[in-house]
Amino acid sequence: MRSLADTLAPTATNMIRFDHTHVMATFHQYEIDTRPSVKKGLVDTACTALEIHAQLEEEIFYPAVRAVTENEALKKAVPEHNEMKRLISVLRGMEPEDPAYDETFMELMRDVLHHVADEETIVLPDAERMLADSLSDLGRRMMRRRMELTLPRTGEIVVDMARSVPASTWVLAMGAAAAGACLTGWLGNRRSYRLER
């Protein structure tokens, strides 16, 4: 019997695209003049996502693709991951107030953007052509492994994501929630008033 995670797992290539989209969205939120705590939250969120993503590709996806094809982008993938891991290590040892913090994160962004472009235009289309029948199974394996890698880091992930949201967004969200509660109360009172008539 298949687990819920197995049933809901995307194909391997769709999972990789989703990861790329998540990291790109995090990159787009980063601004040089952002508060240091928000910067740290965004950087740590991106770094954790990239670490898990790279491990999934190296353990499961790349070996499967290498079994059916070899292209230049695939040959460069692991060395690019190694450079990414080096930059992540440097960032994790820095504070957001460090003068080199922004520059180091921008270097990571450039490297990841280049890597993603190669994967999205070469590696993933090759995998979809040559591994079409096994992409769902690879996706299930990657989803199970993602759960194993993510579970011990859940607290860290939640704290980083909460930290990455600017205070203005929290105020806006609280205001929207309060307005929703008031509107719900007002509509409820109006409805009961109509029923009483």
Side-chain angles (χ1 to χ4, degrees), residues 23-24 26-27 30 39-40 42-51 54 79-92 94 100-117:
V23 170
M24 294 303 152
T26 305
F27 284 168
Y30 190 91
K39 279 185 181 183
K40 181 141 181 63
L42 288 168
V43 168
D44 289 346
T45 295
C47 290
T48 301
L50 289 167
E51 289 166 336
E80 288 173 353
H81 280 186
N82 291 339
E83 175 59 11
M84 178 193 72
K85 291 173 193 173
R86 184 191 71 76
L87 289 169
I88 288 171
S89 177
V90 170
L91 282 163
R92 292 213 190 266
M94 299 172 100
Y101 195 78
D102 293 329
E103 184 180 321
T104 305
F105 190 59
M106 297 301 163
E107 183 179 351
L108 176 65
M109 279 186 194
R110 282 189 300 276
D111 288 355
V112 169
L113 287 169
H114 173 78
H115 179 76
V116 165

Side-chain angles (χ1 to χ4, degrees), residues 66-86:
R66 278 192 193 97
V68 295
T69 187
E70 188 69 40
N71 58 50
E72 202 56 41
L74 201 54
K75 290 177 186 173
K76 296 186 312 182
V78 173
E80 288 173 353
H81 280 186
N82 291 339
E83 175 59 11
M84 178 193 72
K85 291 173 193 173
R86 184 191 71 76

Side-chain angles (χ1 to χ4, degrees), residues 36-197:
S37 62
V38 174
K39 279 185 181 183
K40 181 141 181 63
L42 288 168
V43 168
D44 289 346
T45 295
C47 290
T48 301
L50 289 167
E51 289 166 336
I52 291 170
H53 176 81
Q55 192 165 346
L56 291 172
E57 285 184 330
E58 291 173 17
E59 289 180 6
I60 299 168
F61 185 69
Y62 290 163
V65 177
R66 278 192 193 97
V68 295
T69 187
E70 188 69 40
N71 58 50
E72 202 56 41
L74 201 54
K75 290 177 186 173
K76 296 186 312 182
V78 173
E80 288 173 353
H81 280 186
N82 291 339
E83 175 59 11
M84 178 193 72
K85 291 173 193 173
R86 184 191 71 76
L87 289 169
I88 288 171
S89 177
V90 170
L91 282 163
R92 292 213 190 266
M94 299 172 100
E95 290 302 320
E97 298 85 2
D98 189 309
Y101 195 78
D102 293 329
E103 184 180 321
T104 305
F105 190 59
M106 297 301 163
E107 183 179 351
L108 176 65
M109 279 186 194
R110 282 189 300 276
D111 288 355
V112 169
L113 287 169
H114 173 78
H115 179 76
V116 165
D118 280 350
E119 279 193 351
E120 298 257 351
T121 61
I122 300 168
V123 178
L124 299 183
D126 279 359
E128 288 169 338
R129 277 191 299 278
M130 298 176 192
L131 293 170
D133 294 339
S134 58
L135 289 177
S136 291
D137 180 57
L138 285 171
R140 283 189 291 277
R141 289 177 48 210
M142 289 170 70
M143 180 63 81
R144 282 192 298 273
R145 184 64 176 134
R146 177 186 302 280
M147 302 277 208
E148 293 170 2
L149 296 171
T150 304
L151 191 59
R153 299 179 80 172
T154 302
E156 167 194 347
I157 291 167
V158 169
V159 167
D160 291 340
M161 289 180 80
R163 192 182 308 145
S164 70
V165 177
S168 59
T169 303
W170 284 112
V171 170
L172 183 63
M174 295 303 203
C182 289
L183 182 60
T184 301
W186 180 75
L187 290 173
N189 288 339
R190 229 180 119 167
R191 183 175 176 188
S192 65
Y193 173 75
R194 284 185 182 166
L195 293 175
E196 290 171 3
R197 293 183 114 189

